[in-house]
Amino acid sequence: MLLSTDNESRYLYIWDSIMMFKKKVLASLLPLVFVNPAFAETNAVDELQTEKITVKGILPDRLEAVPGSFEVIDEKELEVRRPFSIKEALNTVPGVHIVANEDPQSLGLNIGVRGMDPRRTARTLLMEDGVPLFLAPYGDPAAHYAPPLSRVQRIEVVKGSGQVLYGPQTVGGMINFVTKPVPKDGFDGSVDVTAGNNDFYGLHANLGFGGERGGFMIDALKNQGDGIREHHDFDVEEYTLKGQLNLTDRQTLIAKVGYYEEDSHVSETGIGEVDYARDKFQAPSGKNDSFYHERKSAQLQHIFQFDDKTKLSTQAYYVDAFRSSFRQTDAPGSWEEYDDGITVLERCDNGPGVGFTEADAANCGGRHRPRSYNYWGIEPRLDFSHNLFGIDNDTVIGFRYHEEDISRNQYRGNTAPFQSLSFAKANSVVREDVQIDVEAKSYYAQNTFHVGDWSITPGLRYEDMQIKTDVRRAGGLAVNKKVTNNQTELLPGLGVAWNGIDNTTLFAGVHKGFAPPRPDRDLDPAKLNALGIDKTSPEKSTNWELGVRSKYFKGVSYESTLFHTKFDDVVVNSGGGTFENAGESAMSGLEFAGRVDFGTIYNTAHNVYLLGSYTNLFTAKFKKDAPNEGVISGDRLPYAPRHLASLSVGYQHPVGVDARLGVDYVSSQEPDAWTNTLTGDAATLTGLTGNIPSYSLFNASVNFKPVNSQFTYFLSGHNLTDREYLASRVDGMFVGRGRQIFGGVRFDFK
């Protein structure tokens, strides 16, 4: 419904007041207010078109002014490559390392950027349409969810300057999934069906309608298939409703609600050396192990476009999630008991050297870990351009209020009935009962000064958080201890871009990264049972980079970045599910990505192209001894391969064919630092220690969309040679995913 004349007058009055306030703010806060135009049009839930301003994702149209490294995987690239999971979608991005060790579709994401530990992506901010995606962004930044690629329009990976506008968890950059927009011109949608080996099949439908006043869109998805190891099947469903209402020619409301459900027979525990040598794909308890995840989410954004230079956007979000895991083995290779390399059932031990069978697992209990998460927030942001002192400027000022409510429980039992969570709750003593409340306030400001070919972008973010942890039970014993952890951090950033050469940007930047202390890192059972609580410090980093990106030569595009990251107090796995601060560490390296289109160079419709990326992480080491955590100065950081490479050759035919063949390479890696403290057989047979050898995986895809046809046919394959390789030693040895081939058809209609 259009606003009345009185309402319009009221908004014009507010606008005049804001303009007066803006002049005062600029005069008083000039040293602190700095923005990057590359991030000025941000925090949009979806693409909104006005007369002169376009808002989409966290990157703007003016990419040449971004003073840092980034990568955009657009809708066309996703359609052509047909990645099976987010791992395949991101493995061409330099500096990004993904470990896929539990499930084939990367439902539990393990993404490391520039040498960061990839475990559950805890050091890289994941977002969907500008909203954090973790179970709890401050209290438990574990990535057990990301939007299915079928409803993603593009993926933005930001590793450099400009991150003061976002948080927390920015020591390793940001990845934002931009979802598809609501139709703007009538009926629109698509249906695609996919099937492949390993009993995989997928069904996705997207239907919507839009017009001048707005529109709506419904998205539904179901994916199902077998896992990497035996009996590790997965079943995923997701439903999303999205709407847009144009209140006036200046105001828009965008809303989105979603429901996600995952039911997987996947265990987070690997196997020992002896078991791995016998059968690396075995999982005798796989039929009983499970992971269940239910997620409900809502976003609402109001955008008020005062004029072509000023926009006020206010975004509110809410997430209610529940995840529960059940597993029957906990220590690979029995390293807590026999150290013989043979994994046993945690609650029904058959003795050393025996192991267990599926029949044993069917008659045994195990451990349940149900956890619930609830968080919400609201974030107003003002974007405006001005000409203070005769210089073109783009400014962003914003604030976010965020709350979290977390409940963590654990139950155990020895007999088969305890495989039911409801039975375990009713018949066992609560082993762990922890309640966590988080309140966080974030203030940020940036300004970009445009001076000739230069764009200078300083910025500042201030984080003020309070984490309250109420430990009622731990290790099966009553504790009843409460602790409040207050943290404040000032996070500055500075970036510079120069565009003095056609289609080329030279950039340099430095910013402070920050990852708040996680409450679960403070839960050392021995210390809790002694009525004491040990608190880890937040992780803080200083991130430097210098680079160039260019399309100067016809048909050739490339980007190269030299980076250096210094951690003041990195947190490492110290064993037994606890974490400790381990002092200083450093990561330095060189990234390169490029593409050559020979069809463009030689002006022909038959295009042969080369696409590649390479990362040389020549430094990734601890810089201080921490004997209690197994850290030795000079040791390489865990899961930080020195070399990452991806190379593809493709061909595009005018009739609508795009075919591609490629290879991805990962060099050797070291496991967690704490495994250095294991001794005797435990150091050699558990599967936790030892090198992770390098590996190369071949992939291919072909996409055929006939001219003037509404049908698209596709076929994609990954690890085509079915190479067996070791993917991880976290919680034991995990074999990598075998050959996966799938194909399908998509129908687009209007």
Side-chain angles (χ1 to χ4, degrees):
M1 181 175 181
L2 295 177
L3 294 178
S4 64
T5 304
D6 291 340
N7 285 335
E8 288 284 4
S9 299
R10 186 178 298 111
Y11 278 114
L12 289 174
Y13 173 77
I14 295 174
W15 162 237
D16 291 338
S17 300
I18 290 176
M19 291 301 293
M20 294 180 62
F21 175 71
K22 184 174 75 172
K23 294 179 180 179
K24 295 180 180 179
V25 169
L26 289 171
S28 60
L29 298 181
L30 182 61
L32 302 179
V33 179
F34 315 114
V35 99
N36 174 357
F39 300 89
E41 302 299 338
T42 62
N43 210 24
V45 173
D46 199 21
E47 183 175 299
L48 168 66
Q49 193 81 28
T50 63
E51 289 184 3
K52 297 183 179 180
I53 301 294
T54 299
V55 180
K56 50 185 177 181
I58 62 173
L59 288 171
D61 293 330
R62 294 184 59 185
L63 296 178
E64 71 279 358
V66 177
S69 58
F70 67 88
E71 185 87 7
V72 176
I73 306 170
D74 59 22
E75 187 172 21
K76 181 179 179 181
E77 181 71 5
L78 290 172
E79 289 181 354
V80 168
R81 285 173 50 196
R82 296 292 171 183
F84 184 70
S85 70
I86 291 174
K87 173 178 172 59
E88 289 77 31
L90 294 176
N91 62 8
T92 60
V93 179
V96 174
H97 175 44
I98 303 179
V99 179
N101 55 332
E102 294 144 301
D103 61 87
Q105 276 220 305
S106 300
L107 301 176
L109 280 174
N110 301 294
I111 303 175
V113 177
R114 292 178 172 175
M116 308 289 178
D117 191 335
R119 182 63 175 168
R120 292 294 178 256
T121 322
R123 292 174 172 87
T124 301
L125 179 60
L126 292 183
M127 296 181 286
E128 178 183 324
D129 297 329
V131 172
L133 282 175
F134 297 115
L135 289 174
Y138 287 84
D140 192 353
H144 280 285
Y145 170 81
L149 292 175
S150 55
R151 68 179 184 87
V152 171
Q153 186 182 51
R154 71 175 189 168
I155 305 174
E156 302 169 323
V157 182
V158 179
K159 296 170 286 183
S161 183
Q163 298 185 40
V164 300
L165 299 181
Y166 306 95
Q169 315 298 342
T170 55
V171 293
M174 305 174 294
I175 299 175
N176 184 44
F177 299 92
V178 182
T179 60
K180 295 179 180 179
V182 172
K184 294 181 172 62
D185 185 18
F187 187 65
D188 198 358
S190 64
V191 176
D192 51 274
V193 180
T194 309
N197 66 320
N198 299 318
D199 290 331
F200 172 76
Y201 75 84
L203 178 63
H204 172 251
N206 181 282
L207 304 172
F209 179 84
E212 182 179 352
R213 299 292 300 276
F216 70 93
M217 182 177 66
I218 300 173
D219 194 281
L221 171 137
K222 181 178 178 63
N223 284 340
Q224 183 174 315
D226 288 342
I228 296 174
R229 293 159 65 189
E230 294 175 357
H231 312 307
H232 277 188
D233 55 284
F234 64 93
D235 190 346
V236 172
E237 295 184 15
E238 184 175 63
Y239 307 93
T240 306
L241 174 62
K242 199 174 195 180
Q244 177 172 321
L245 177 61
N246 300 322
L247 299 172
T248 70
D249 58 349
R250 297 183 180 183
Q251 296 189 80
T252 296
L253 278 177
I254 303 173
K256 180 175 62 175
V257 294
Y259 176 81
Y260 170 87
E261 184 178 48
E262 173 194 345
D263 189 0
S264 305
H265 290 95
V266 173
S267 173
E268 294 182 338
T269 304
I271 55 180
E273 293 279 357
V274 174
D275 286 331
Y276 193 83
R278 289 174 176 172
D279 180 4
K280 53 181 64 68
F281 295 98
Q282 66 173 293
S285 63
K287 290 183 177 179
N288 307 318
D289 291 348
S290 65
F291 185 88
Y292 178 79
H293 186 193
E294 182 182 51
R295 187 178 191 270
K296 305 167 188 175
S297 62
Q299 290 177 246
L300 178 65
Q301 186 178 37
H302 176 259
I303 301 174
F304 193 164
Q305 193 78 47
F306 293 104
D307 55 26
D308 61 353
K309 293 185 177 181
T310 306
K311 171 174 63 70
L312 175 65
S313 60
T314 303
Q315 178 160 249
Y317 55 89
Y318 172 83
V319 174
D320 183 6
F322 172 77
R323 55 134 290 185
S324 181
S325 63
F326 175 77
R327 61 185 177 188
Q328 296 185 298
T329 61
D330 191 48
S334 303
W335 67 278
E336 290 181 333
E337 299 179 45
Y338 310 118
D339 301 338
D340 58 7
I342 300 175
T343 303
V344 299
L345 291 170
E346 178 188 357
R347 313 304 298 170
C348 309
D349 188 356
N350 287 335
V354 179
F356 68 97
T357 65
E358 291 182 29
D360 294 326
N363 295 315
C364 186
R367 179 190 307 193
H368 290 275
R369 289 186 175 94
R371 300 172 184 174
S372 62
Y373 303 86
N374 184 290
Y375 66 85
W376 67 274
I378 186 168
E379 182 174 5
R381 178 190 303 234
L382 181 66
D383 299 70
F384 57 92
S385 302
H386 57 93
N387 298 99
L388 189 67
F389 303 131
I391 300 174
D392 289 338
N393 295 265
D394 292 296
T395 301
V396 168
I397 302 175
F399 165 78
R400 184 182 69 193
Y401 181 82
H402 177 95
E403 283 192 7
E404 297 175 7
D405 183 6
I406 305 170
S407 178
R408 298 161 54 101
N409 297 105
Q410 186 180 143
Y411 306 90
R412 294 185 183 184
N414 296 346
T415 60
F418 281 93
Q419 294 180 23
S420 166
L421 176 58
S422 59
F423 182 89
K425 285 183 176 181
N427 294 277
S428 66
V429 175
V430 179
R431 185 171 179 82
E432 178 183 292
D433 184 0
V434 181
Q435 306 298 314
I436 302 166
D437 295 304
V438 177
E439 182 184 55
K441 290 168 280 188
S442 306
Y443 311 82
Y444 54 88
Q446 274 197 171
N447 189 84
T448 291
F449 302 90
H450 300 284
V451 183
D453 294 324
W454 295 87
S455 298
I456 305 169
T457 307
L460 194 65
R461 185 180 186 91
Y462 180 73
E463 289 276 0
D464 181 4
M465 71 204 76
Q466 182 182 79
I467 303 175
K468 295 181 179 180
T469 305
D470 181 1
V471 184
R472 301 169 184 176
R473 296 187 69 86
L477 301 177
V479 177
N480 297 319
K481 292 291 293 184
K482 297 181 180 180
V483 64
T484 298
N485 195 347
N486 293 301
Q487 297 284 342
T488 59
E489 291 295 334
L490 195 62
L491 307 171
L494 173 65
V496 178
W498 180 70
N499 294 283
I501 302 174
D502 290 344
N503 300 315
T504 301
T505 300
L506 300 176
F507 58 87
V510 57
H511 72 274
K512 194 74 173 281
F514 171 70
R518 286 171 51 178
D520 65 317
R521 290 176 175 164
D522 303 331
L523 305 183
D524 184 330
K527 295 175 182 177
L528 290 172
N529 292 338
L531 302 183
I533 294 181
D534 180 49
K535 292 188 289 187
T536 55
S537 302
E539 292 177 284
K540 291 178 284 188
S541 66
T542 303
N543 302 52
W544 301 80
E545 65 174 9
L546 173 67
V548 57
R549 56 179 171 269
S550 177
K551 294 183 179 180
Y552 182 83
F553 299 102
K554 180 180 178 181
V556 178
S557 61
Y558 67 90
E559 176 176 323
S560 183
T561 307
L562 182 67
F563 63 87
H564 174 71
T565 303
K566 178 181 177 296
F567 264 98
D568 294 331
D569 208 349
V570 69
V571 170
V572 299
N573 184 352
S574 59
T578 61
F579 295 80
E580 300 287 346
N581 291 106
E584 297 180 5
S585 67
M587 289 145 283
S588 302
L590 177 67
E591 298 171 347
F592 177 83
R595 175 169 177 144
V596 180
D597 289 279
F598 291 98
T600 302
I601 295 174
Y602 295 106
N603 297 315
T604 175
H606 298 269
N607 181 37
V608 175
Y609 61 91
L610 295 175
L611 181 68
S613 65
Y614 171 68
T615 304
N616 186 338
L617 186 65
F618 47 77
T619 299
K621 64 182 180 180
F622 294 104
K623 298 185 67 177
K624 181 180 179 182
D625 288 340
N628 292 337
E629 287 75 52
V631 171
I632 301 173
S633 179
D635 279 0
R636 194 160 182 89
L637 294 173
Y639 299 96
R642 182 178 296 272
H643 303 286
L644 292 169
S646 178
L647 180 64
S648 298
V649 57
Y651 171 67
Q652 294 171 321
H653 191 280
V655 299
V657 172
D658 193 316
R660 179 181 301 186
L661 176 66
V663 60
D664 301 317
Y665 172 77
V666 179
S667 67
S668 61
Q669 305 166 64
E670 299 292 333
D672 289 319
W674 74 272
T675 56
N676 293 329
T677 62
L678 295 177
T679 59
D681 290 338
T684 57
L685 296 176
T686 61
L688 299 170
T689 65
N691 195 34
I692 301 173
S694 62
Y695 57 89
S696 298
L697 303 178
F698 290 88
N699 57 79
S701 64
V702 58
N703 211 64
F704 176 45
K705 185 173 184 179
V707 179
N708 299 323
S709 174
Q710 294 174 277
F711 286 94
T712 302
Y713 309 91
F714 54 87
L715 182 66
S716 186
H718 304 279
N719 191 5
L720 294 176
T721 62
D722 201 23
R723 173 168 181 175
E724 295 182 2
Y725 64 99
L726 179 61
S728 169
R729 290 184 181 269
V730 175
D731 292 325
M733 301 179 74
F734 285 91
V735 65
R737 190 182 67 198
R739 181 189 296 117
Q740 180 65 59
I741 298 175
F742 66 97
V745 59
R746 168 172 166 162
F747 178 73
D748 294 278
F749 47 87
K750 271 189 169 292

